[in-house]
Amino acid sequence: DAGVTQSPTHLIKTRGQHVTLRCSPISGHKSVSWYQQVLGQGPQFIFQYYEKEERGRGNFPDRFSARQFPNYSSELNVNALLLGDSALYLCASSLVVDRSAGEQFFGPGTRLTVL
Amino acid sequence: GENVEQHPSTLSVQEGDSAVIKCTYSDSASNYFPWYKQELGKGPQLIIDIRSNVGEKKDQRIAVTLNKTAKHFSLHITETQPEDSAVYFCAPGGSHAGKSTFGDGTTLTVKP
């Protein structure tokens, strides 16, 4: 079985531009979460989507948005890029969303560099 | 929100020695306590997890212990090997599967 896949693997953009990152969850997983990982730090939660609905949002500005498609794949969009948006963007999928938290499976990430 | 602290931030051991990493958290509602291993250029991978109804879990050379009263849990790696060298993260959670608060990581170096 394929794991979580993300595309592209690397991306270079300039300040002010827009970027779209893509994620395909493990087959059968309906929940997708996005995390930002700045060098030297742990991943920070950005969004969670379950059954195409936003279920959680972290402390990120409105320049960040996401959506989930009927096939449970997801896109993360970032507008008006800033230098500080340079990071590894991780997607994680999980089977369910409920109060019994469970295992998340992470993709390899997309390395975004903003110049 | 959840405050998570990991100690130490770096750890260097000789091959064959044991390594222990501690994670403290603030949210008493947390009921899921995983440890992730992240190698260079890869996403985090779950290596062991524990739920709040047990105090310890073992899987070969790795174990996790939980003290819910004191709000901390620890990762124990015995008989360390060079391939254990990586960054380790704790991510206590509970309200929802996909909204984890990660610690800042512990860089473990195992010297051959």
Side-chain angles (χ1 to χ4, degrees):
Chain A
D1 265 347
V4 177
T5 58
Q6 292 186 246
S7 62
T9 53
H10 295 86
L11 204 49
I12 299 175
K13 292 284 189 178
T14 56
R15 280 177 294 176
Q17 284 190 311
H18 161 271
V19 70
T20 297
L21 310 180
R22 295 177 176 85
C23 170
S24 291
I26 291 171
S27 176
H29 285 195
K30 298 180 179 180
S31 175
V32 169
S33 296
W34 288 95
Y35 292 83
Q36 180 196 66
Q37 187 176 24
V38 172
L39 202 61
Q41 295 181 17
Q44 277 206 304
F45 172 74
I46 310 175
F47 285 111
Q48 182 188 33
Y49 275 78
Y50 179 70
E51 289 282 15
K52 302 179 286 295
E53 289 187 5
E54 182 184 301
R55 289 300 191 95
R57 173 185 283 254
N59 189 22
F60 280 81
D62 292 343
R63 299 185 295 107
F64 288 76
S65 64
R67 54 180 176 165
Q68 188 177 31
F69 299 99
N71 66 353
Y72 303 110
S73 67
S74 177
E75 278 183 0
L76 175 70
N77 295 284
V78 188
N79 291 324
L81 286 167
L82 303 174
L83 296 179
D85 295 331
S86 296
L88 180 69
Y89 288 85
L90 294 162
C91 172
S93 77
S94 53
L95 200 51
V96 292
V97 168
D98 61 27
R99 291 203 66 85
S100 302
E103 183 175 359
Q104 294 184 82
F105 295 83
F106 283 85
T110 294
R111 172 72 62 189
L112 173 65
T113 303
V114 182
L115 301 175
Chain B
E2 175 90 274
N3 288 321
V4 179
E5 288 188 7
Q6 259 182 259
H7 293 282
S9 55
T10 60
L11 182 57
S12 182
V13 300
Q14 287 294 136
E15 183 176 0
D17 287 350
S18 295
V20 181
I21 304 169
K22 184 177 179 179
C23 180
T24 59
Y25 61 95
S26 62
D27 188 355
S28 54
S30 292
N31 60 15
Y32 178 63
F33 307 95
W35 284 96
Y36 291 87
K37 176 184 182 182
Q38 187 174 27
E39 296 174 288
L40 209 58
K42 297 184 179 179
Q45 269 198 309
L46 179 77
I47 55 171
I48 196 164
D49 58 6
I50 196 170
R51 296 191 184 273
S52 57
N53 55 345
V54 296
E56 182 175 354
K57 183 177 176 181
K58 248 184 160 179
D59 183 5
Q60 298 182 9
R61 296 187 299 108
I62 58 173
V64 55
T65 58
L66 171 65
N67 185 328
K68 272 219 91 178
T69 306
K71 288 191 272 188
H72 65 74
F73 62 112
S74 297
L75 174 69
H76 305 256
I77 306 174
T78 58
E79 299 170 28
T80 53
Q81 300 167 4
E83 50 265 37
D84 294 330
S85 296
V87 182
Y88 291 82
F89 294 98
C90 64
S95 57
H96 291 288
K99 287 194 281 188
S100 298
T101 301
F102 281 73
D104 279 338
T106 297
T107 301
L108 173 65
T109 303
V110 180
K111 299 180 200 171

